[in-house]
Amino acid sequence: MATLRFGLLGPVTSHYGGTPVALGPPQRRAVLTALLLQPGQALTVAALRERVWPGPPPASAISAIHLHIHHLRRTLARYEGPGREHPARLATHPGHTPENVSYVLHVAPGHVDTDRFRHLADDGADHQARGDHHGALARFDAALALWRGEPLTGLQPSAFVRATRRTFTEIHLDTGKRRATALLATGAVTRATLALQDLRDRHPDDESIVVALARALCAGGAESRATRLLGEELERRHRTDGIRPPALAHAHAALLHGTALHDTAPHGTAPHHAALYDAALHDTADRHDGS
């Protein structure tokens, strides 16, 4: 059965049974995004105003939001009706003033890619913590396959948008590192090495990636290359930042003394992605909710 789905991990999009749904201009998609990121929760017009505009909102902001809600409601209504599974529905809660009116978007679980992404990443971490590395790997791969680029592409960089992008980028990086650890644990050394090299290219100052890459190289029998990698990275960080990161120094010393590198990936317990996500939401504009 065709369902209405939304994508935020890249450009803000929607599809119904594989057919793109027109969501309107960027400002309207920003209003929709704020509601999608907190489904089932009422957001006042005042809160939406702070989340949509990157600077001081214009005098017309409140009327613009009400107009965007009107058009979004008409768009969603096209997909309501008998036999249609879990349509998205916009509800209105009256307020004493126009800015105190609040809106709630009801969306079925799993119909927004950010929800599926977080669920798969956390589920994979749970499997990893239990030692089920094959199960973890399948879930990490499924989560990363949802990533289409920088989250919320095309929206104005309000504080809310920036915080949301930062949060999902952190979860994406954590999931990538955990996936590499799962690959190593399942014996896929070459794939793990390539994945870590790619992560290092995109995050050159993340020392945990360099240590993990050294571990992967050692697992593939390239201890001398791993030692050289750590030594060169220590020299670079000392030259550019004037520091010698302890994790790199300890790993380098271990290899020089012929000691195996231990797994330093944080997979003993599941990550607190939900807490990270909730903090990003509440750090931006929630002071206006219920005002």
Side-chain angles (χ1 to χ4, degrees), residues 58-102:
S60 60
I62 292 177
S63 59
I65 289 173
H66 286 298
L67 182 60
H68 288 315
I69 290 291
H70 169 74
H71 285 290
L72 287 171
R73 182 175 278 119
R74 290 183 60 184
T75 298
L76 297 177
R78 299 190 191 112
Y79 303 94
E80 295 179 353
R84 299 199 172 182
E85 181 185 1
H86 302 301
R89 181 173 58 86
L90 257 173
T92 304
H93 295 269
H96 296 297
T97 65
E99 70 176 9
N100 286 334
V101 173
S102 60

Side-chain angles (χ1 to χ4, degrees), residues 10-25:
V12 177
T13 60
S14 180
H15 291 81
Y16 180 78
T19 301
V21 174
L23 296 176

